[in-house]
Amino acid sequence: MHGMACKHAKTSPVIVSFAFKMALAFTSSITLPSSTFPSLDPKLSQIRSIRISERHNGAAINLYQRRSSVEPDYAEPPHKDSHIPFAAATIVASASHDDEDDTVQFAEVNETGKDNIEELAADLENASPLEIMDKALEKFGNDIAIAFSGAEDVALIEYAHLTGRPFRVFSLDTGRLNPETYQFFDAVERHYGIRIEYMFPDAVEVQALVRSKGFFSFYEDGHQECCRVRKVRPLRRALKGLKAWITGQRKDQSPDTRSEIPVVQVDPVFEGMDGGIGSLIKWNPVANVKGNDVWNFLRTMDVPVNSLHFQGYVSIGCEPCTRAVLPGQHEREGRWWWEDSKTKECGLHKGNIKQEDASHANEIAVSPHNGSATVSDIFNAQNVVNLSRTGIENLVKLENRKEPWLVVLYAPWCPFCQAMEESYVDLAEKLVGSGVKVGKFNADGEQKEFAKRELQLGSFPTILFFPKYSSRPIKYPSEKRDIDSLMAFVNALR
């Protein structure tokens, strides 16, 4: 690994203590806003740097320090086999840190090592993001880096900065990012005085993929192949030069793939510099933080953010696979919207899907009339008819119905279905006496192939209107699932 030159500036402990206390308070004392979205800011283009300083011996001491030429005494020696160039890291004022735990020795990570990490995760479960970040940087020095996607995970960089320790940041440039994301990268580098370590996909692999399948094959056969070439393999190369990495995963980001992530874990998929499964530790400092808390933290600390957030984007990835979400929609619904929520991972956190697949193996959701499910059913209301397979088949076959029907095709585990439950039940109540029947059909499990083949199921939820004098159902085309939008759809067709 290439070396880095730096030295410490002597800074008053009062400054570091103040910064620590500020960050520690965010996840426990901030009043949550009503939405995950950042509030509109007409001064978005005026990105400013926050500077926390205090007069000491007549001089203003700043937490933002320039890089210089002495290696920090608490960092491990650089490694020659790094696959990532040693980036210019932010060096800030040093502070005293506890030395309770020794650095994990990955060459010996076995069941005992895994148990140690699980014990550490349990100890830090209720810790603040700042405490978790500080412990990660303390334990791994130069052999850990923050994975930065160009979204709200900029909070990780701010937390790292507030620890007063040197840190590294890397990012995957897929070649398909939004222009706003590239502008954001530049703003972050200038704000913190760092150089982000960019990883790029192999040009030959990208060329082969595009020549054989075109630029947008993922809309037809899924995003996994493109992500494997543009994201997963570059990430694998990056991680081979590290002993640990830091991600911005949160439990509330994706109930189907991230609900069980710990604050620190042995990476179940990728390998670190010592090789072999178990050679890489994965830190998730904001795992237990709600999205609202993250945004309160960013606003309070005056951290630059991606301007796409002010256009309705919450989760941000590549331009063709990311879109703004609407009020009431889950943030991950803006990613790979043509696919089911259980597959909404690009491969960077593939281990999450494995965990969820195992938990869903015995969880095939069926109609309560035909069997039992381990996930509680949804859309349970007096005015919503629960259709069995026979019932929905008969509805499809009828050419002259006594009344029109509105039917939602759903899966009980789907967070997007759960998010629209209230509006759908309210709609059913409003339609009482209107001549329109409202129903639901659990299209998951053994019913899924039938629903895809006969009911136009693409992803959950799918909403269908069965007109009174037509056998073919009409699919609701919008992602707006509030009661007014659904009512407008019904009124336009009945």
Side-chain angles (χ1 to χ4, degrees):
M1 186 175 295
H2 301 293
M4 177 184 69
C6 58
K7 72 176 182 180
H8 296 302
K10 295 185 181 295
T11 302
S12 169
V14 175
I15 303 170
V16 177
S17 175
F18 172 70
F20 264 73
K21 289 178 181 178
M22 288 184 68
L24 285 170
F26 285 119
T27 57
S28 59
S29 63
I30 291 178
T31 301
L32 299 183
S34 59
S35 171
T36 304
F37 294 100
S39 54
L40 294 176
D41 182 1
K43 299 180 180 179
L44 177 64
S45 60
Q46 300 176 7
I47 301 173
R48 303 178 300 280
S49 298
I50 180 168
R51 298 181 179 277
I52 306 172
S53 61
E54 175 159 329
R55 291 284 174 183
H56 181 68
N57 295 330
I61 301 175
N62 202 300
L63 286 185
Y64 289 80
Q65 303 290 338
R66 293 187 177 274
R67 297 182 296 277
S68 53
S69 59
V70 178
E71 189 72 7
D73 54 8
Y74 50 79
E76 294 186 12
H79 295 266
K80 296 180 180 179
D81 57 346
S82 173
H83 288 238
I84 312 178
F86 207 121
T90 298
I91 308 303
V92 293
S94 62
S96 60
H97 300 278
D98 295 333
D99 295 319
E100 298 174 357
D101 299 301
D102 295 326
T103 301
V104 176
Q105 300 300 316
F106 292 101
E108 301 177 3
V109 168
N110 45 30
E111 287 304 314
T112 301
K114 184 177 180 181
D115 290 343
N116 290 340
I117 294 300
E118 290 177 351
E119 182 179 344
L120 178 61
D123 291 342
L124 294 173
E125 180 64 20
N126 296 316
S128 71
L130 183 61
E131 291 177 273
I132 299 168
M133 178 66 74
D134 185 64
K135 178 61 68 176
L137 297 178
E138 175 195 30
K139 290 175 73 67
F140 293 99
N142 299 334
D143 293 328
I144 189 170
I146 296 169
F148 179 43
S149 70
E152 81 279 2
D153 54 354
V154 67
L156 297 175
I157 301 178
E158 179 67 13
Y159 280 123
H161 167 73
L162 290 175
T163 68
R165 299 182 184 276
F167 61 92
R168 299 170 59 190
V169 180
F170 76 92
S171 187
L172 307 176
D173 184 350
T174 64
R176 303 296 294 270
L177 303 179
N178 288 278
E180 292 89 344
T181 299
Y182 291 111
Q183 294 165 3
F184 179 43
F185 285 152
D186 181 67
V188 169
E189 288 187 327
R190 287 186 286 106
H191 185 81
Y192 292 101
I194 63 174
R195 283 289 177 262
I196 298 171
E197 304 168 26
Y198 298 102
M199 299 299 295
F200 299 90
D202 182 89
V204 174
E205 290 184 354
V206 173
Q207 178 177 283
L209 174 64
V210 174
R211 285 185 175 181
S212 63
K213 305 187 73 171
F215 283 107
F216 302 101
S217 59
F218 37 80
Y219 291 137
E220 302 296 329
D221 56 14
H223 70 275
Q224 298 297 333
E225 183 178 19
C226 184
C227 286
R228 185 165 55 250
V229 170
R230 294 181 181 271
K231 299 179 75 171
V232 178
R233 288 173 183 164
L235 176 66
R236 193 178 300 279
R237 293 198 311 270
L239 297 179
K240 285 293 290 182
L242 300 170
K243 288 187 176 181
W245 62 310
I246 302 169
T247 85
Q249 292 188 106
R250 303 193 321 271
K251 290 178 180 177
D252 69 339
Q253 283 176 324
S254 184
D256 284 296
T257 63
R258 299 186 178 184
S259 61
E260 301 298 325
I261 56 173
V263 297
V264 60
Q265 64 189 129
V266 175
D267 195 299
V269 177
F270 295 102
E271 299 180 7
M273 65 169 63
D274 292 328
I277 297 300
S279 61
L280 185 71
I281 299 301
K282 185 176 184 179
W283 292 77
N284 308 300
V286 293
N288 297 319
V289 182
K290 300 294 185 183
N292 291 329
D293 278 323
V294 172
W295 276 103
N296 280 337
F297 176 69
L298 295 177
R299 293 188 193 100
T300 303
M301 302 306 290
D302 198 19
V303 175
V305 297
N306 193 322
S307 62
L308 289 172
H309 289 305
F310 296 89
Q311 302 173 40
Y313 291 76
V314 182
S315 179
I316 299 175
C318 294
E319 186 277 332
C321 302
T322 304
R323 66 178 180 180
V325 296
L326 299 163
Q329 288 185 304
H330 191 276
E331 64 184 84
R332 294 292 283 184
E333 200 160 356
R335 303 288 296 278
W336 307 295
W337 54 90
W338 61 95
E339 298 182 13
D340 288 344
S341 63
K342 280 192 287 188
T343 65
K344 287 179 182 280
E345 292 286 2
C346 59
L348 305 189
H349 307 294
K350 186 178 174 183
N352 299 340
I353 296 179
K354 288 184 177 181
Q355 292 174 354
E356 292 300 313
D357 284 346
S359 67
H360 281 295
N362 299 314
E363 194 177 283
I364 298 177
V366 296
S367 169
H369 297 301
N370 298 327
S372 61
T374 58
V375 177
S376 298
D377 200 21
I378 55 178
F379 303 113
N380 295 318
Q382 181 179 356
N383 300 315
V384 178
V385 180
N386 187 11
L387 295 168
S388 64
R389 169 71 175 266
T390 302
I392 195 76
E393 285 179 332
N394 289 336
L395 188 60
V396 171
K397 292 175 184 177
L398 289 174
E399 293 189 3
N400 293 299
R401 304 179 183 89
K402 292 183 179 180
E403 57 272 313
W405 280 75
L406 184 72
V407 178
V408 60
L409 310 181
Y410 72 100
W413 51 261
C414 173
F416 312 132
C417 300
Q418 296 166 7
M420 69 164 286
E421 181 178 17
E422 183 178 355
S423 60
Y424 194 74
V425 170
D426 289 347
L427 176 67
E429 185 176 345
K430 279 195 171 187
L431 289 174
V432 171
S434 68
V436 178
K437 294 285 188 180
V438 178
K440 65 174 186 175
F441 176 64
N442 188 334
D444 195 29
E446 62 187 17
Q447 311 297 343
K448 194 170 185 179
E449 288 305 314
F450 160 75
K452 286 182 176 180
R453 184 176 65 254
E454 303 293 339
L455 300 174
Q456 309 174 55
L457 175 66
S459 61
F460 296 117
T462 292
I463 302 171
L464 300 175
F465 186 82
F466 293 83
K468 190 174 181 180
Y469 300 108
S470 174
S471 61
R472 182 171 177 79
I474 300 171
K475 186 175 181 179
Y476 180 55
S478 175
E479 295 291 339
K480 295 180 179 179
R481 300 184 188 120
D482 60 281
I483 187 169
D484 292 334
S485 299
L486 293 172
M487 182 64 82
F489 174 65
V490 172
N491 289 336
L493 296 176
R494 69 174 177 168

